[in-house]
């Protein structure tokens, strides 16, 4: 199954750093979404990559972090 991992940050710089680290670790840009207005990062990942995505996002001290099953629109 595919998951959407979402992290919300109070500080836009922390969100930007988390995004940059995800890219540097090889997460495909087309699976990353950076909402600058909400300071929110979303990562669409298979179940086996979910822990790594959560670990990276957590390093940047999010205010909230959660995962949900991915639903294509």
């Amino acid at each position: 199954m595919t998951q959407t991992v979402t992290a919300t940050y109070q500080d836009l710089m922390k969100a930007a750093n988390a995004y940059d680290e995800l890219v540097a670790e090889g997460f495909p840009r087309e699976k990353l979404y950076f909402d600058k207005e909400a300071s929110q990062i979303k990562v669409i990942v298979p179940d086996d990559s979910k822990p790594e995505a959560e670990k990276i996002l957590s390093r940047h001290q999010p205010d909230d972090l959660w995962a949900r099953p991915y639903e294509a629109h």
Side-chain angles (χ1 to χ4, degrees):
M1 187 179 337
T2 303
Q3 299 282 322
T4 301
V5 181
T6 305
T8 302
Y9 298 86
Q10 188 170 9
D11 182 340
L12 184 60
M13 185 57 71
K14 288 181 182 180
N17 290 340
Y19 180 88
D20 291 343
E21 185 175 349
L22 288 163
V23 170
E25 290 296 322
F27 285 85
R29 288 180 191 263
E30 62 271 10
K31 300 293 183 180
L32 303 176
Y33 300 91
F34 186 177
D35 182 342
K36 292 181 182 175
E37 286 186 26
S39 293
Q40 193 172 77
I41 304 289
K42 293 186 180 191
V43 188
I44 299 170
V45 293
D47 283 340
D48 61 342
S49 297
K50 180 180 166 252
E52 184 181 0
E54 289 175 333
K55 183 177 175 183
I56 292 168
L57 293 168
S58 291
R59 270 189 217 135
H60 300 277
Q61 303 166 334
D63 295 321
D64 202 3
L65 176 66
W66 67 93
R68 294 195 175 114
Y70 173 72
E71 296 179 21
H73 297 283

